[in-house]
Amino acid sequence: PEMQLALWMPIYAAVLGILMVSPFRYFHFARWVQSAFRNRKRLVILFALVAAVILFRTAAFAALITLYVIGNPIYDIFRRIREKKTLQS
């Protein structure tokens, strides 16, 4: 599986790079981690993320990076749709 991942990595990196320079807003991960120590729900999520990285290493890193890069544009699109619906009603 790691060999297959290595074959797709250049395409994967290019797509993620294009998304990262897009106009979509991204949250600051370091601030999120700092706030996790004050918020129990975020702390549980943080521990789950660390456990996934420890258990699955390469696959977990790839999944987390993909979720970070793709999740924010998806969230932004839904937020814009919701704002349009609010303005129309």
Side-chain angles (χ1 to χ4, degrees):
E2 288 186 15
M3 187 60 174
Q4 290 175 342
L5 187 62
L7 293 173
W8 284 98
M9 197 57 67
I11 297 168
Y12 175 77
V15 170
L16 296 183
I18 290 168
L19 281 174
M20 288 297 288
V21 297
S22 68
F24 294 110
R25 293 182 287 184
Y26 286 88
F27 70 93
H28 196 277
F29 187 73
R31 282 191 206 142
W32 186 88
V33 169
Q34 287 176 342
S35 72
F37 295 109
R38 294 185 306 259
N39 183 324
R40 286 190 178 166
K41 183 179 176 181
R42 287 186 181 180
L43 191 59
V44 170
I45 293 169
L46 181 63
F47 282 132
L49 294 174
V50 170
V53 168
I54 290 170
L55 293 172
F56 301 109
R57 291 185 177 34
T58 306
F61 272 118
L64 291 174
I65 290 168
T66 302
L67 284 173
Y68 179 75
V69 175
I70 293 175
N72 286 300
I74 291 171
Y75 172 77
D76 204 34
I77 289 167
F78 280 118
R79 184 182 57 81
R80 290 178 188 183
I81 291 170
R82 194 172 43 223
E83 285 176 0
K84 284 183 182 179
K85 285 182 181 178
T86 304
L87 291 174
Q88 290 175 351
S89 47

